[in-house]
Amino acid sequence: MSIFISKKTKLIVQGITGRDGSFHAEQMKKYGTKVVGGVTPGKGGSKVAGIPVFDTVEEAVAKTKANTSVIYVPPPFAVDAIFEAVSAGIKTVICITEGVPANDMMKVYPFVKEHGARLIGPNCPGLISVGQSKVGIMPSTIVKKGGVGVVSRSGTLTYEAIWALTEAGMGQSTCIGIGGDQVIGTNFIDCLEAFQADPATKAIVMIGEIGGSDEEDAAKYIKKYVTKPVVAFIAGQTAPPGKRMGHAGAIIAGGSGTAEDKIVALNKVGVPVAGSPTELPAALKELMKGAKRPAPKKATLKKAATKKTKAKKATVKKVAAKKLAPKKQRGLKKAASPKRTKKAKK
Amino acid sequence: MKIHEYQAKEVFAEAGIPVPAGKVAANPIEAFEIAEEINRPVMVKAQVHVGGRGKAGGIKYAENAESAKILAQSIIGMDIKGLTVQKALITEAEDIISESYVGIILDRVTKRPVIMVSPAGGIDIEEVAQKTPEKIFKLAVDPVVGLKSYQARNLAFKLFRDINQVRATTNILMQLYDAFWKVDASLVEINPLICNTDAKVIALDAKVNIDDNGLYRQKNIAAMRDLDAEITEEVQAREADLSYVKLDGNIGCMVNGAGLAMATMDLVKRYGGGPANFLDIGGSSNPEKVVAAMRIILSDPNVRAILINIFGGITRCDDVATGIVAAFKELNPSIPVVVRLTGTNEEAAQKILRSVNLPSADTLDNVVKKAIELAGL
């Protein structure tokens, strides 16, 4: 199993004759993805890496029975490409294009929802369901089959985390980049829900960054619905407010969207936040020792949030067992400070 | 992208929103001429991309043209929160009866434009949100249907009782909403929206932020960019198609990918250094970009060591290595440069780098530690 794409994925590539489109169409095909067609208006009838090219998505779908589309077309045409794919009946659309105006995204998003489709991105690296299918631009050399689901707002930072997991012998089920823009089709919660439901996924790594409140919302969701172990990394602790840090969505605006807020929110629900992406595997191993992340009850969590109340009210034995997760978090947070790390290494 | 108040008022005026008469002055003589033309008391308002201008002494009342000239003399050239005032807006002074707040932001959670109005205008809206949230009224507009008159009217009733003022405000909200879409704004704000002694509703201030991703189709707005108001290195970086933000530490960072660039900065701090900048060379590994990036980092006198961290996926390490060698030939940096290249074409990159013989590291954490060590921090 996996999330969003699998062996059943039949993919078309919108913008297949472009520089990026043609290169990645071939890469995806090499990985084993069923790339059944490509679309470039005016290039219908030609072939790219043995893949048939069509003039319209409608025609491509009719001839190939494609169910998924990946978009590599330039920003001025990307939203039109999403409309076209969804209108043609495609249910999973992955938009790689960076630089799509947010206002256009606000208009296409309700359309995607109305049609019961899923949009991933824009401005994302796509996803890999390891051993089954790859859609997008992630390097397949870094992944290894296993049980960790990885979800991230970033590209290369995700690769760093995946590589760290692979080196530590912790393979992945699906690795997905949801994109760094302000308005994106699939958010952390959608991915957490899917990973929770996916039997192949045993644990989850979540990589967030400054800007917006997607991580905070994810924390609330984890508290309510996620029983699998989750560890996180949040980038941008040193980012100044009011400055866009590369990604359109990575900006601290009006004092909200700071890394600190996100780390606090995640810690509160028993999600350890690693001090470096390379420490994610160790954090996950530590957390998995306790098997399932305890499904927190409201009362327990309130206690965990404030040390004092917790100490005073520690009475019932059952509660003691549930405190395990918050304790671990604190240990991790301390390890994140430079002094501790040096000591640990010595 | 941010634009100045006087430019935002041009956007508003074009949308039909009433704004006080005024023009921008680059020197005291121009200020005098504009004030004389207005022929009434004026406000002299510093044009800088930062809030709190009034508190900093950047907004002053002038009874006549002579006084406007004197005030412009002191305001133009003054420093507000580290930014030098280059221009001042000379605008008709209004007699204010009430001040409200009106704004539209792109809301990431609802993925809709959200209109916010508040009868508590003239002060920072974040302060209002914190202290008296009950005084803020919000509406998430369906972007497909658009803003309907009744919705705008309902919001206007939160600000005014007089039906004429409600009607005027309704119009302003509709026009503001249209302007939001027309210029690809991520934020439009009138703070304060005032009612003057003639019972007229007027946008006394104007703020417009533009979504950078929309700039390709906003030629008029893009031309409003004030290069003088921006940090030189950031302008140079944009011209070289690099994503760069200047910071105040002394470890220069060159990374591929925004998330990894932020994580690298965070680790610099974690291991006891301070990042001098955020710099993402982007996905395509053009060697020329590496040279441009190196030049920008080296132009910062605070930088004591440079760390290059590349995780090659789409970016090819050998291309980056070629860029590094070219940068060394051209710029001959006198400070230590530490390199970590991993991923696509890593071996080829190591061969290319032999000619410059740089200290290198194998992991993200190690390259950061080494850079800090070599910087002598």
Side-chain angles (χ1 to χ4, degrees):
Chain A
M1 286 288 284
S2 57
I3 71 167
F4 306 146
I5 58 167
S6 67
K7 279 184 181 153
K8 288 176 187 161
T9 294
K10 293 174 87 177
L11 183 75
I12 55 162
V13 180
Q14 289 176 259
I16 193 167
T17 54
R19 190 183 57 121
D20 294 338
S22 56
F23 176 77
H24 293 295
E26 199 172 348
Q27 295 292 314
M28 290 186 284
K29 197 178 164 187
K30 268 188 199 162
Y31 188 73
T33 308
K34 293 187 187 78
V35 186
V36 293
V39 177
T40 298
K43 300 275 173 71
S46 62
K47 282 195 170 180
V48 170
I51 303 158
V53 180
F54 302 91
D55 284 320
T56 68
V57 178
E58 195 180 7
E59 192 191 349
V61 171
K63 298 249 170 82
T64 66
K65 303 279 179 290
N67 54 19
T68 305
S69 170
V70 61
I71 295 170
Y72 292 97
V73 307
F77 317 109
V79 167
D80 189 61
I82 299 170
F83 274 116
E84 187 182 358
V86 173
S87 299
I90 298 277
K91 292 299 177 198
T92 307
V93 181
I94 296 97
C95 184
I96 306 300
T97 311
E98 178 177 3
V100 180
N103 284 358
D104 290 355
M105 287 308 303
M106 285 199 283
K107 286 196 169 160
V108 74
Y109 181 77
F111 185 82
V112 173
K113 286 274 146 185
E114 255 169 44
H115 286 74
R118 165 168 307 286
L119 170 67
I120 297 168
N123 189 14
C124 79
L127 64 165
I128 297 185
S129 285
V130 184
Q132 300 188 52
S133 185
K134 153 179 153 160
V135 177
I137 62 174
M138 282 194 194
S140 54
T141 46
I142 58 173
V143 297
K144 170 189 160 83
K145 200 171 171 59
V148 183
V150 180
V151 56
S152 169
R153 277 169 68 187
S154 160
T156 48
L157 177 56
T158 320
Y159 309 163
E160 191 82 59
I162 295 171
W163 182 237
L165 287 166
T166 296
E167 288 234 293
M170 303 174 89
Q172 306 89 36
S173 52
T174 297
C175 303
I176 175 169
I178 57 176
D181 277 359
Q182 299 197 72
V183 181
I184 51 174
T186 294
N187 61 16
F188 279 130
I189 293 180
D190 299 319
C191 298
L192 289 167
E193 186 184 5
F195 278 137
Q196 175 69 23
D198 173 31
T201 302
K202 308 295 178 203
I204 302 163
V205 169
M206 189 180 131
I207 298 162
E209 63 190 32
I210 54 159
S213 60
D214 210 10
E215 291 81 359
E216 286 91 329
D217 296 340
K220 285 179 200 154
Y221 184 87
I222 289 168
K223 178 181 163 185
K224 271 191 178 166
Y225 304 108
V226 181
T227 55
K228 294 177 182 177
V230 185
V231 295
F233 178 78
I234 304 291
Q237 294 181 54
T238 46
K243 287 275 188 181
R244 169 178 150 160
M245 306 300 279
H247 291 155
I251 181 164
I252 298 167
S256 71
T258 64
E260 201 189 341
D261 286 353
K262 294 171 192 298
I263 293 169
V264 168
L266 287 163
N267 278 170
K268 261 189 190 170
V269 298
V271 175
V273 179
S276 163
T278 52
E279 286 165 15
L280 282 163
L284 196 54
K285 269 182 192 159
E286 178 73 16
L287 194 66
M288 285 173 86
K289 272 185 199 164
K292 274 189 178 180
R293 204 180 58 82
K297 281 180 187 171
K298 276 175 192 170
T300 321
L301 258 148
K302 270 182 192 166
K303 280 174 200 164
T306 48
K307 284 183 199 170
K308 283 181 185 173
T309 4
K310 198 174 129 189
K312 280 177 192 169
K313 291 191 179 175
T315 42
V316 194
K317 279 179 189 173
K318 280 177 195 168
V319 181
K322 284 181 181 167
K323 275 187 214 154
L324 265 171
K327 262 189 192 168
K328 268 184 218 155
Q329 284 165 31
R330 281 205 298 278
L332 252 158
K333 267 182 94 185
K334 278 178 192 164
S337 77
K339 280 182 187 170
R340 283 288 174 123
T341 318
K342 273 180 198 164
K343 273 183 195 167
K345 293 232 159 141
K346 278 172 193 171
Chain B
M1 182 186 122
K2 290 176 179 176
I3 59 174
H4 288 300
E5 176 196 356
Y6 78 93
Q7 297 165 323
K9 278 182 172 164
E10 285 168 18
V11 171
F12 283 7
E14 201 173 308
I17 297 168
V19 293
K23 273 183 194 163
V24 71
N27 56 56
I29 295 163
E30 280 180 23
F32 179 85
E33 287 166 0
I34 296 162
E36 209 173 42
E37 199 186 315
I38 292 171
N39 198 24
R40 273 176 44 87
V42 294
M43 300 302 294
V44 181
K45 303 178 84 177
Q47 299 295 291
V48 275
H49 291 315
V50 68
R53 290 174 296 164
K55 274 183 198 161
I59 301 177
K60 291 274 164 66
Y61 172 82
E63 197 70 48
N64 51 44
E66 191 55 41
S67 141
K69 185 179 153 187
I70 295 163
L71 287 170
Q73 181 97 49
S74 68
I75 286 174
I76 296 170
M78 81 185 285
D79 182 281
I80 300 181
K81 294 181 185 170
L83 296 172
T84 307
V85 179
Q86 308 280 352
K87 288 171 184 166
L89 173 63
I90 314 300
T91 180
E92 195 176 344
E94 296 284 342
D95 294 315
I96 300 168
I97 293 198
S98 72
E99 293 181 293
S100 310
Y101 170 93
V102 167
I104 306 175
I105 54 152
L106 184 163
D107 182 58
R108 299 163 69 142
V109 177
T110 57
K111 306 182 205 298
R112 290 178 168 196
V114 169
I115 304 183
M116 292 197 292
V117 304
S118 173
I123 45 171
D124 191 1
I125 193 65
E126 278 139 28
E127 204 180 309
V128 181
Q130 215 167 42
K131 288 180 184 162
T132 50
E134 70 282 1
K135 284 187 184 164
I136 297 179
F137 303 91
K138 290 183 185 179
L139 174 74
V141 183
D142 182 334
V144 180
V145 179
L147 179 66
K148 299 289 126 189
S149 292
Y150 84 90
Q151 294 174 310
R153 196 163 54 238
N154 288 357
L155 289 168
F157 270 114
K158 305 288 185 196
L159 306 179
F160 295 104
R161 288 220 180 99
D162 177 273
I163 189 63
N164 291 321
Q165 286 160 16
V166 168
R167 283 190 185 124
T169 306
T170 306
N171 278 338
I172 290 171
L173 284 170
M174 300 293 287
Q175 288 156 339
L176 193 64
Y177 184 80
D178 288 345
F180 178 89
W181 286 96
K182 197 181 161 205
V183 302
D184 270 301
S186 55
L187 173 143
V188 290
E189 195 177 79
I190 306 174
N191 190 21
L193 177 76
I194 62 140
C195 176
N196 68 13
T197 42
D198 298 332
K200 291 262 166 23
V201 181
I202 294 171
L204 202 61
D205 199 356
K207 186 175 174 185
V208 174
N209 289 354
I210 309 292
D211 171 15
D212 288 2
N213 289 353
L215 283 175
Y216 75 85
R217 59 186 179 195
Q218 298 290 346
K219 300 280 182 271
N220 292 340
I221 300 282
M224 288 181 180
R225 193 187 284 279
D226 181 1
L227 297 178
D228 291 337
E230 292 184 38
I231 296 162
T232 318
E233 289 93 332
E234 295 186 6
V235 176
Q236 287 168 350
R238 194 172 48 242
E239 279 163 4
D241 200 18
L242 298 164
S243 198
Y244 171 93
V245 175
K246 193 172 184 340
L247 302 167
D248 53 12
N250 32 33
I251 305 291
C253 305
M254 190 193 304
V255 188
N256 68 324
L260 188 57
M262 278 189 274
T264 305
M265 281 161 43
D266 293 349
L267 287 178
V268 169
K269 174 96 182 291
R270 185 187 181 198
Y271 293 122
N277 63 276
F278 164 93
L279 196 156
D280 170 14
I281 60 165
S284 76
S285 41
N286 182 346
E288 279 168 29
K289 274 189 168 186
V290 177
V291 180
M294 187 80 100
R295 188 179 297 121
I296 291 164
I297 295 174
L298 285 169
S299 71
D300 178 351
N302 292 333
V303 173
R304 281 162 56 185
I306 297 176
L307 85 79
I308 300 175
N309 181 28
I310 304 296
F311 200 106
I314 305 320
T315 306
R316 288 170 43 183
C317 291
D318 54 336
D319 283 343
V320 177
T322 307
I324 294 171
V325 172
F328 263 80
K329 271 189 193 149
E330 204 178 315
L331 305 164
N332 193 23
S334 56
I335 52 171
V337 178
V338 191
V339 181
R340 179 232 183 184
L341 295 170
T342 191
T344 313
N345 296 0
E346 185 182 329
E347 291 82 15
Q350 305 304 352
K351 275 184 197 159
I352 294 167
L353 281 181
R354 261 178 222 153
S355 68
V356 282
N357 191 28
L358 295 175
S360 64
D362 52 348
T363 67
L364 169 61
D365 297 74
N366 287 343
V367 72
V368 171
K369 286 179 193 165
K370 196 149 199 172
I372 293 170
E373 184 193 315
L374 292 174
L377 295 174

